[in-house]
Amino acid sequence: MAELAGNLLVAQSGGPTAVINASLAGVIQEAGRHECIEEIYGGSNGILGVLNEDLIDINDQKAKTIAGLRYTPAAALGTCRYKIDFKKKPDQAARDMDRLFEVFQAHNIRYFFYIGGNDSQDTSHKIHDEAVKRAYDLRMIGVPKTIDNDLPHTDSCPGYGSVIKYNAATVMEVGLDVGGMATDDGSCCIVEVMGRSAGWIAAGSVLAKRAPADPPHIVLLPEVPFQEDKFLAKVKEVVESHHYCIVVVGEGAKDAQGHELGADKTRLDAFGHPILSGAAEELAEIVQGKLELKTRTVKLGYAQRAAAHFASATDADNAHACGVAAVKAAVEGQSGFMVKIVRDAGPNGSIKWTTGLQPLADIANVEHFIPRDWISEDGFLPNEKFVEYARPLIEGEVKFPLEGGLPKYVALDKARIEKKLPPRA
Amino acid sequence: MAELAGNLLVAQSGGPTAVINASLAGVIQEAGRHECIEEIYGGSNGILGVLNEDLIDINDQKAKTIAGLRYTPAAALGTCRYKIDFKKKPDQAARDMDRLFEVFQAHNIRYFFYIGGNDSQDTSHKIHDEAVKRAYDLRMIGVPKTIDNDLPHTDSCPGYGSVIKYNAATVMEVGLDVGGMATDDGSCCIVEVMGRSAGWIAAGSVLAKRAPADPPHIVLLPEVPFQEDKFLAKVKEVVESHHYCIVVVGEGAKDAQGHELGADKTRLDAFGHPILSGAAEELAEIVQGKLELKTRTVKLGYAQRAAAHFASATDADNAHACGVAAVKAAVEGQSGFMVKIVRDAGPNGSIKWTTGLQPLADIANVEHFIPRDWISEDGFLPNEKFVEYARPLIEGEVKFPLEGGLPKYVALDKARIEKKLPPRA
C-alpha cells in the first residue's frame, strides 16, 4: 500500500462518555508519530462541524492538554446527534455527502476518524462507501464509543466500563445508606440508569454485589419484559428478608407489549426515538401504591456517563488504544473498518487487552444484547456469566489532578481553521 | 468534677452522610483511651434501638473495622427517624423517656453520644434535661451531623463538605457533557440536589465554577422565592451566551407563596413534612414547554449523601474530631452540649480547624440559613462570600481501599448485648 500524505480529521459523535477524549488523545498522539499525516484537525460538534467547515486546529495544542484528555470526560471537540439519513431524508443526505467531500477536498483530508456509537459507525460506513465510489483517496476508520455497550463484534465499548464502575459504586453506597435506615417498616430505593434498548448498563450495577444479601436486589433489564405482579412479589420477598430493597432500572425497561416504563411519547429526540424519562418514578408509584412501602428514587442521568472522577483505568486504556489502533491501521492503508477491543486470557486469570479491525459493514445498525443465559432464570439479576464478563472492565482507577478539592479537567483551545468554501447551503 | 465510671452508648440518627461513621470512629477510638469508660455499646437504629434495648456490642469489634469507619459511608449502627415528640404526642414521649432511663439504668449507661441533626440535637437536649431532673448521673453530648448544614453555632456540619464536593464535581462533569453537546439549538440540564429549607447544598455546587462561563449557571435556593418569569428570562440569557444552561435546584425551592416546586403533598414523612420529589422534573416541564429548549434532569437523591468515593478529607477529619471532642468533654464532666466546629484563620490563608462546645439549648430547632448578602443581587447564584466560606470544606480526598475496582467498605459485627428488661410496651 502506497503511503498516503495528507491531513487528518477526527470528530466525536453522539452522547459523550467519561473516556471518549481518551480515544481522541490516542488518535492525536499516534498521528504525531507519522510523517504522512500533515495537519491534524478536529470537527467541531461532530459531522455537523465538518458540514459547516467548522474545523478546530489541533496542531498548536499543548502536549499537556492532549495528555489531559485521557482523564477529562465529555466531548472536548464537541459532539452532535446529526444523522445523515439516506432512508428518511435522501435528498438532504445526498447534499450532505457532496458537501462532506467538498470539505475533505478543500482541506486535503485523507484520514478521517469518527469516534461514536451505532449511528456514527453507520455514518462512517456510508462515508467509506462514498469515498470508494468517488475514487477519493480516504482512509476512514470508526472508533467505538458508547456507554450502551451495544456495538457488535467488539468485546466491549469504550465508555461502558466507566459508567458501570461509577453506577456500581453508587448502588453500593446507596445500598449502605438505605440499609442503614431500614427498620421493620421496610423501604425501597429505585436507581434509574441509562440504556435504551439493551440492558448492559443496568446489568453492570450487579458488580456492587459481593454477597447474596448485598444490593442491587433486583435489576430490571429491557431484555426481560416487565411483569408488574412478579416484580412486586419479588420486592416484597426482598424486603421481608432484608428490610430494604434496591432496584436498578434501565431507562428503557418495557413490558411484554413493548410499552416503555418511562416513555414520554410526547417528546422525540433528533433520531425520532421517544425521550425516556421517569422509569424510576413510575416504578416508585407502583411500589409505594401497591405495597405501601416507603420508596425513593435516584436518577443519575448524564452524571453517570460523565463521572470521570471514578472512571475505569481499564476502560480509559482501551479507549486510548482504540484511537491509537485506528491511526496505525489507516497509515497502514486500511479503510472501512471499526476498531474493536479483543480480550485474551492471560496467566492466572489475568486479561490481555488488544485491538482488532472489523468491517464497518458488519457493525452499522446491528445491536448487541445481553444473552438470555447471562441472566438469572427469574429474570431479576444478571448471573455469574455476566459478572465474569463485566468485572474486568471496571478494574483500576483513572488518576486525575485536583485543584481546590475538585478535578482539574482540560479544555482544548478552539482556534478554527480558515474556511475555504462558501457557507453550507 | 469527680470521675464518672460506667458504660458508653453511641447512636446515629436521621439521614446518613458520607462521614457520619467517621464521627462514630472518633467516639469509639477516644473512648478506648479512658479507663472510666467501661463498655462501649451502640444503639441499633438510633434512639429506637435504645428504646427497644437493642444494643450492639462494640467492644469486640476489630480495630481495623473501627478504622474503616473513617471511609465507610452511611450509618454503620443503623439510624432512624423516630422522634420523641413532646408537643404532638406528650404521653408517648413521657413513656419513651421513662423507658430510656430504664435502659440507661439497666446497662449502667453513663455516657451517651447522639450523632445527628436538628431533631436529634433536640432529643439530646431533652434527655440531658431529664437526666438532671431525675438526678441520673449522665454525660450527654450531641455530635453534629447533617448534609443540610443548617445547625446553628457551628462553622459547618459534618457531612456537608462531602455532599457539596461530590455535587460540585458532578455539576462540573455534567456541564462538560452538556456543553460538549451544545449546538445552536441550545439545551438545558437541571440537577436536583437535597436540602429542604436551607439552600446550603444547592449553593455548594457553585464551587464547580472556576470561570464566569462555567456551570452552574443558575442555582435556585429556597432562601430566594422562585419567580418563573425571571427564571425563564435568565435561562434564555444563559443559553444565548453559552448555548447551554446548567441549573441546580434544591428539592425545597419554593415560590413567594411558599409552594414547594417539587412537593408531593399526598405523602408525608415521619416528621409530618411533605415528601419532596420532582423539583427538577417540574422545572424541566416549564423550560421545555415555555422556551422549547431540550431539557434533561439529574436527581442525585441518596447517591449524593452516600458518595464516600469522593468525600472531603476536611469534612471527614472534622467529623472524626467531633466524635473525639465529645468523649473528651464528657470525660471532663461536661453534659448538655453539642460539639461545634470552629474555623481559625492560620498563616497564608490556611485554616486551623478546632472544636468547641455549645449548650444544646441553643441548638434545638433553630435553623441556620444562608445570609442574603452571600447571594448575588439577582438571587441566581451564591457570591464570593459564600465561596470563601465553602471552598475550604471540600479540600482533600478521603482515601479508601478498593477491591475489584470498587470501594471496600467495612461493616460492624452486629452482635447484640443481652437484654435485661421486659420488651418495650
Side-chain angles (χ1 to χ4, degrees):
Chain A
M1 177 65 62
E3 190 179 277
L4 176 63
N7 299 327
L8 178 153
L9 176 65
V10 55
Q12 299 173 307
S13 180
T17 80
V19 302
I20 182 172
N21 290 329
S23 293
L24 176 61
V27 167
I28 297 170
Q29 289 167 337
E30 182 62 25
R33 302 180 56 225
H34 300 281
E35 280 187 15
C36 57
I37 296 172
E38 291 162 355
E39 305 290 333
I40 307 175
Y41 304 145
S44 174
N45 288 103
I47 205 77
L48 206 55
V50 188
L51 289 167
N52 292 329
E53 205 193 354
D54 195 2
L55 305 180
I56 293 166
D57 188 357
I58 306 281
N59 304 290
D60 287 342
Q61 307 282 341
K62 291 176 188 155
K64 200 175 152 185
T65 305
I66 304 303
L69 292 173
R70 281 198 77 151
Y71 53 78
T72 297
L77 290 172
T79 176
C80 70
R81 290 208 172 273
Y82 188 84
K83 184 170 181 173
I84 301 180
D85 194 336
F86 282 90
K87 272 185 199 150
K88 289 187 192 151
K89 298 177 182 172
D91 295 350
Q92 181 64 48
R95 280 198 303 274
D96 282 349
M97 207 48 96
D98 286 345
R99 173 74 179 181
L100 278 183
F101 280 86
E102 279 167 31
V103 174
F104 290 167
Q105 188 86 59
H107 294 276
N108 194 31
I109 304 295
R110 297 294 165 182
Y111 296 88
F112 183 26
F113 303 97
Y114 204 29
I115 309 170
N118 241 305
D119 286 317
S120 315
Q121 302 301 335
D122 182 45
T123 301
S124 298
H125 182 219
K126 294 209 169 85
I127 292 173
H128 169 73
D129 283 355
E130 280 289 323
V132 173
K133 212 178 341 173
R134 291 166 192 245
Y136 180 89
D137 214 349
L138 179 75
R139 309 273 167 83
M140 171 84 241
I141 305 279
V143 180
K145 171 255 28 166
T146 170
I147 58 166
D148 288 336
N149 204 41
D150 59 355
L151 288 168
H153 300 291
T154 181
D155 169 83
S156 45
C157 302
Y160 177 62
S162 293
V163 77
I164 64 170
K165 182 186 179 85
Y166 168 80
N167 285 357
T170 300
V171 165
M172 191 179 260
E173 292 170 341
V174 167
L176 285 172
D177 184 298
V178 178
M181 284 193 294
T183 48
D184 293 347
D185 296 339
S187 67
C188 179
C189 183
I190 298 171
V191 180
E192 180 178 323
V193 300
M194 289 178 121
R196 180 176 294 274
S197 319
W200 293 103
I201 299 176
S205 67
V206 82
L207 298 179
K209 211 184 213 3
R210 290 198 173 117
D214 286 349
H217 304 108
I218 298 174
V219 177
L220 298 176
L221 305 166
E223 283 85 352
V224 182
F226 176 73
Q227 290 177 277
E228 187 179 303
D229 53 345
K230 286 194 181 168
F231 167 69
L232 288 174
K234 184 76 183 173
V235 172
K236 204 156 171 274
E237 180 194 318
V238 171
V239 172
E240 277 164 10
S241 298
H242 308 307
H243 295 294
Y244 77 109
C245 179
I246 304 289
V247 178
V248 174
V249 59
E251 56 184 353
K254 45 187 173 289
D255 65 20
Q257 287 72 47
H259 166 73
E260 287 174 322
L261 279 176
D264 176 352
K265 296 206 171 92
T266 61
R267 298 193 277 158
L268 299 180
D269 72 12
F271 293 115
H273 310 138
I275 286 172
L276 299 179
S277 73
E281 285 301 324
E282 185 160 330
L283 279 180
E285 273 178 40
I286 294 171
V287 172
Q288 186 117 359
K290 303 256 166 101
L291 299 183
E292 296 186 0
L293 193 64
K294 175 182 161 177
T295 305
R296 293 290 184 275
T297 61
V298 173
K299 182 183 168 187
L300 294 172
Y302 292 159
Q304 67 198 285
R305 70 183 187 196
H309 74 269
F310 199 59
S312 158
T314 299
D315 188 32
D317 289 348
N318 281 343
H320 187 263
C322 285
V324 170
V327 174
K328 279 188 175 161
V331 168
E332 285 163 10
Q334 306 285 4
S335 185
F337 292 91
M338 183 188 83
V339 178
K340 63 181 176 184
I341 295 170
V342 179
R343 174 193 308 232
D344 291 313
N348 303 320
S350 68
I351 288 172
K352 191 169 166 269
W353 299 99
T354 57
T355 59
L357 294 176
Q358 189 77 27
L360 281 164
D362 302 346
I363 305 290
N365 298 317
V366 179
E367 262 180 311
H368 175 51
F369 294 96
I370 305 178
R372 184 60 183 85
D373 72 338
W374 288 18
I375 302 170
S376 65
E377 208 172 320
D378 69 4
F380 286 125
L381 279 179
N383 65 21
E384 272 310 308
K385 287 183 186 170
F386 174 84
V387 171
E388 196 186 336
Y389 163 76
R391 175 78 69 195
L393 300 173
I394 68 166
E395 284 286 352
E397 292 69 50
V398 174
K399 302 237 180 324
F400 56 90
L402 290 117
E403 184 176 75
L406 293 173
K408 194 178 175 187
Y409 297 130
V410 301
L412 290 175
D413 171 18
K414 296 278 181 79
R416 296 302 204 269
I417 299 295
E418 198 182 336
K419 295 191 182 194
K420 299 183 176 182
L421 295 172
R424 180 185 174 207
Chain B
M1 178 66 64
E3 190 180 276
L4 176 64
N7 299 327
L8 179 153
L9 176 65
V10 56
Q12 299 173 307
S13 180
T17 80
V19 301
I20 182 173
N21 290 330
S23 293
L24 176 61
V27 167
I28 297 170
Q29 289 168 337
E30 182 62 24
R33 300 179 58 226
H34 300 279
E35 281 188 15
C36 56
I37 296 172
E38 291 161 355
E39 306 289 333
I40 307 176
Y41 303 145
S44 174
N45 290 102
I47 205 77
L48 206 56
V50 186
L51 289 168
N52 292 328
E53 205 193 353
D54 195 2
L55 306 181
I56 294 166
D57 187 358
I58 305 282
N59 305 291
D60 286 343
Q61 307 283 340
K62 291 177 187 156
K64 200 175 154 187
T65 305
I66 304 302
L69 293 174
R70 281 198 78 151
Y71 53 77
T72 297
L77 289 172
T79 175
C80 70
R81 290 207 171 272
Y82 187 84
K83 185 172 180 170
I84 301 180
D85 195 336
F86 281 89
K87 272 185 201 150
K88 289 185 192 151
K89 298 176 182 170
D91 294 349
Q92 180 65 48
R95 281 198 301 276
D96 283 349
M97 206 49 92
D98 286 344
R99 172 74 179 180
L100 279 183
F101 280 85
E102 279 167 31
V103 173
F104 291 166
Q105 188 86 60
H107 294 277
N108 193 31
I109 304 295
R110 297 294 165 180
Y111 297 88
F112 183 27
F113 304 97
Y114 204 29
I115 309 171
N118 241 306
D119 286 316
S120 315
Q121 303 301 334
D122 181 44
T123 302
S124 297
H125 181 219
K126 293 210 170 83
I127 292 173
H128 169 72
D129 283 353
E130 280 287 325
V132 172
K133 214 182 330 177
R134 292 167 192 244
Y136 181 87
D137 213 351
L138 179 76
R139 308 271 167 85
M140 170 84 242
I141 305 278
V143 180
K145 172 253 32 167
T146 171
I147 58 166
D148 289 335
N149 203 42
D150 59 355
L151 289 168
H153 300 291
T154 181
D155 169 84
S156 46
C157 302
Y160 177 62
S162 292
V163 77
I164 64 171
K165 181 185 179 87
Y166 168 81
N167 285 356
T170 300
V171 165
M172 190 180 260
E173 291 171 342
V174 167
L176 286 172
D177 185 298
V178 178
M181 285 194 294
T183 49
D184 293 346
D185 296 340
S187 66
C188 180
C189 184
I190 298 171
V191 180
E192 180 178 323
V193 299
M194 291 179 121
R196 180 178 294 274
S197 318
W200 292 103
I201 298 176
S205 66
V206 82
L207 298 178
K209 210 183 213 4
R210 289 198 175 118
D214 286 349
H217 304 108
I218 299 174
V219 177
L220 298 176
L221 305 167
E223 283 85 350
V224 182
F226 176 72
Q227 291 178 277
E228 186 179 305
D229 53 344
K230 287 194 179 167
F231 167 69
L232 287 173
K234 184 77 184 176
V235 172
K236 205 157 171 273
E237 181 196 314
V238 171
V239 172
E240 276 164 10
S241 299
H242 309 308
H243 295 293
Y244 78 109
C245 179
I246 305 290
V247 179
V248 174
V249 59
E251 57 184 351
K254 46 187 170 292
D255 66 18
Q257 286 73 48
H259 165 74
E260 288 176 321
L261 279 175
D264 176 352
K265 297 211 172 85
T266 60
R267 298 193 277 158
L268 300 181
D269 72 10
F271 292 115
H273 310 138
I275 285 172
L276 299 179
S277 73
E281 285 301 326
E282 186 162 329
L283 279 180
E285 273 178 38
I286 294 171
V287 172
Q288 186 118 0
K290 303 255 165 104
L291 298 182
E292 295 186 0
L293 193 65
K294 175 181 161 177
T295 305
R296 293 290 184 275
T297 61
V298 173
K299 183 183 169 185
L300 294 172
Y302 291 159
Q304 68 198 286
R305 70 184 187 193
H309 74 270
F310 198 59
S312 159
T314 299
D315 188 32
D317 289 348
N318 281 344
H320 187 263
C322 285
V324 170
V327 175
K328 280 188 176 162
V331 168
E332 285 165 10
Q334 307 286 4
S335 185
F337 292 91
M338 184 188 83
V339 178
K340 62 181 177 184
I341 295 171
V342 179
R343 173 193 308 231
D344 292 312
N348 304 320
S350 68
I351 287 172
K352 191 168 165 269
W353 299 100
T354 56
T355 59
L357 295 175
Q358 190 78 27
L360 281 164
D362 302 347
I363 306 290
N365 299 317
V366 179
E367 264 181 309
H368 176 51
F369 295 97
I370 304 179
R372 184 59 184 86
D373 71 337
W374 288 18
I375 303 170
S376 65
E377 209 171 319
D378 70 3
F380 287 125
L381 279 179
N383 65 21
E384 272 310 308
K385 287 182 187 171
F386 174 85
V387 171
E388 195 186 336
Y389 163 77
R391 175 78 69 196
L393 300 173
I394 67 167
E395 284 286 351
E397 291 70 50
V398 173
K399 305 239 179 322
F400 56 91
L402 289 116
E403 183 176 75
L406 292 174
K408 194 177 175 190
Y409 297 130
V410 301
L412 289 175
D413 171 17
K414 297 277 180 81
R416 297 302 204 270
I417 299 294
E418 199 182 337
K419 295 192 182 192
K420 299 184 176 182
L421 295 172
R424 180 183 175 210

